Amino acid sequence: MTGSTQVPLLDINRDNEPHRDEFVETLTAVVDSGRFLFGPDVVELEKEVASHSQAEHAVGCASGSDALLLSLMALDIGPGDEVIVPSFTFFASVSCITRLGATPVFVDICPDTFNIDPECVADAITDNTRAIIPVHLFGQCAQIDRICQIATEHDIPVIEDAAQAIGAAYHSRPAGSWGLAGCFSFYPTKNLGGMGDGGMLTSNDATFADRLRLLAGHGMRPRYYHQAVGINSRLDTFQAAVLRIKLRHLDDAVESRQQIAARYMNLLCDAGLVGPDQIVLPSVDPNAFHVWNQFGIRVAGGRRDSLRGHLGERGIGSEIYYPVPVHRQECYTHLKVDSASLPETERACAEVLNLPIFPTLTEAEQDRVVEGIAAYYQAGAKIAA
Ligand SMILES: *Cc1c(COP(=O)(O)O)cnc(C)c1O
């Protein structure tokens, strides 16, 4: 029963396999072109991502982390400024704030979607608030219509952390087209994953997009004349060439993820595993087009880690996004954030377990994941009896 039945959390090679010849062909062409930076594929990918995200402009950069940092740099955010952000997110949503000397103001999440709670955002606004960074976590948009409405009332820019949500939408409007800027990551595990690091910014504001491009290129314009102190953050041509191929298949990949998510929901329900004492399924906001970068369940009763251990013994991969909220990271102890002010964030960190989900995950593998969870609760029932 154990050992041979391995289910990976993610199998990037398997997802890439069908496109291998196309990748080799395009990468060979880049090798032969010698244009490793600013190649035509970078320009084309920018246009294609802008179009896919229904944004006017897109600017390539070196990573999703840089996209966030560049956005705040372009807003001239610095010491004394506050930026509202969730704590139930990847570190990079927050490090961009503190790196510039500004102060993160952490707000709690909605327990059903794990996304930032718009009413908490409204409550956290002060005279010093200079930006709001909603994170579209696990591939589902935050309530971005409400967040933008609150932001507009206070004349505060919204920077969307859409690193996990390329292709997602809210009220049919894509992630990255709502705020002043959208920040995307092409880290290999993201829905549009490259073969290394890469990122992109989208914006509907031409002046802001131009500022982002300036700052991503050392603030240099024209050559060797520096208008601002920028950084060096480029998307290289190899990544862009690969990403253009993957972007053509993104909608299909998303559809596969959606089918896998729906099937998990049915299987887990039918197996009688869903309930307040067992597992709680991820919930989909009816206004959201969810692209399922992650399938995050809640495990009730303090049993998340033991369920994860049980799955691991059966060769079933799982992951905890995120075990420690950002406000409790060692490097932020000096911020002295009171965990009692973020109860849903703390609860999510204690309960969430992310199950295998990637476009080429097979039904047989999914069945094994669900069987593994069922076996855990059956064993528990025997011990209790
Ligand atoms: C991955 C990720 C980032 C950072 O992207 P990189 O390309 O790895 O720098 C930022 N925010 C969130 C929510 C992410 O998941």
Side-chain angles (χ1 to χ4, degrees):
M1 194 171 82
T2 53
S4 60
T5 56
Q6 299 270 328
V7 185
L9 177 71
L10 176 65
D11 189 338
I12 288 174
N13 273 343
R14 203 198 296 170
D15 281 346
N16 279 339
E17 225 304 304
H19 316 299
R20 192 177 183 281
D21 292 347
E22 281 182 276
F23 292 145
V24 171
E25 194 184 327
T26 197
L27 289 172
T28 305
V30 177
V31 171
D32 293 341
S33 79
R35 298 187 62 186
F36 304 129
L37 297 168
F38 305 111
D41 283 309
V42 178
V43 179
E44 291 307 314
L45 182 70
E46 285 176 345
K47 286 186 200 154
E48 288 160 4
V49 169
S51 151
H52 196 262
S53 307
Q54 291 172 29
E56 299 274 327
H57 310 277
V59 178
C61 63
S63 67
S65 305
D66 274 7
L68 288 157
L69 180 65
L70 285 161
S71 300
L72 299 194
M73 287 173 72
L75 288 170
D76 270 321
I77 283 176
D81 296 336
E82 294 175 0
V83 179
I84 294 174
V85 69
S87 179
F88 189 62
T89 182
F90 179 62
F91 183 68
S93 313
V94 182
S95 58
C96 56
I97 303 167
T98 57
R99 184 163 294 284
L100 296 175
T103 304
V105 175
F106 295 106
V107 302
D108 215 359
I109 53 169
C110 303
D112 50 351
T113 62
F114 308 115
N115 275 322
I116 193 166
D117 184 331
E119 302 323 309
C120 297
V121 170
D123 291 344
I125 290 172
T126 73
D127 290 344
N128 296 322
T129 308
R130 294 287 315 279
I132 301 167
I133 305 182
V135 179
H136 303 314
L137 204 72
F138 297 162
Q140 174 163 240
C141 283
Q143 289 171 57
I144 191 70
D145 54 347
R146 180 80 186 109
I147 292 165
C148 286
Q149 187 191 0
I150 294 164
T152 305
E153 279 164 18
H154 294 84
D155 200 18
I156 298 166
V158 171
I159 305 297
E160 298 175 68
D161 182 342
Q164 299 180 8
I166 192 159
Y170 205 74
H171 289 300
S172 304
R173 187 169 153 191
S177 68
W178 287 82
L180 178 60
C183 302
F184 294 99
S185 165
F186 304 132
Y187 183 78
T189 66
K190 304 295 160 87
N191 279 16
L192 183 61
M195 295 186 179
D197 278 311
M200 195 163 290
L201 290 137
T202 51
S203 184
N204 285 313
D205 182 317
T207 310
F208 195 71
D210 184 65
R211 181 87 185 150
L212 293 169
R213 200 178 285 286
L214 178 75
L215 290 171
H218 280 304
M220 180 167 79
R221 193 181 287 162
R223 206 165 176 75
Y224 305 124
Y225 290 80
H226 297 266
Q227 305 177 11
V229 183
I231 58 175
N232 171 20
S233 187
R234 289 186 283 245
L235 179 66
D236 65 73
T237 316
F238 281 107
Q239 297 309 327
V242 163
L243 290 163
R244 289 189 70 203
I245 291 167
K246 294 192 84 167
L247 182 59
R248 278 181 232 137
H249 301 287
L250 179 63
D251 292 348
D252 288 340
V254 164
E255 206 179 310
S256 299
R257 286 174 181 275
Q258 290 171 333
Q259 279 164 6
I260 291 165
R263 192 159 181 275
Y264 264 137
M265 306 258 205
N266 289 333
L267 291 174
L268 291 164
C269 244
D270 292 350
L273 297 167
V274 176
D277 304 328
Q278 299 183 70
I279 66 174
V280 179
L281 295 175
S283 65
V284 180
D285 180 329
N287 301 317
F289 182 77
H290 197 324
V291 295
W292 296 103
N293 180 243
Q294 297 297 330
F295 189 87
I297 59 169
R298 274 182 198 271
V299 184
R303 299 174 83 179
R304 190 261 316 268
D305 295 343
S306 78
L307 170 58
R308 178 158 194 247
H310 168 90
L311 294 176
E313 281 165 24
R314 295 171 69 107
I316 297 166
S318 65
E319 191 50 271
I320 297 169
Y321 302 114
Y322 296 92
V324 180
V326 178
H327 73 274
R328 275 204 288 113
Q329 295 293 338
E330 189 182 340
C331 58
Y332 288 144
T333 44
H334 64 281
L335 295 175
K336 296 192 171 60
V337 176
D338 183 4
S339 280
S341 65
L342 302 166
E344 292 301 340
T345 298
E346 292 289 346
R347 198 160 72 86
C349 286
E351 293 184 350
V352 170
L353 184 65
N354 301 83
L355 302 181
I357 189 164
F358 53 95
T360 56
L361 182 73
T362 67
E363 293 195 350
E365 287 173 321
Q366 258 199 297
D367 292 344
R368 261 176 262 148
V369 175
V370 176
E371 281 157 23
I373 297 172
Y376 171 80
Y377 283 104
Q378 274 152 21
K382 264 179 220 138
I383 292 162

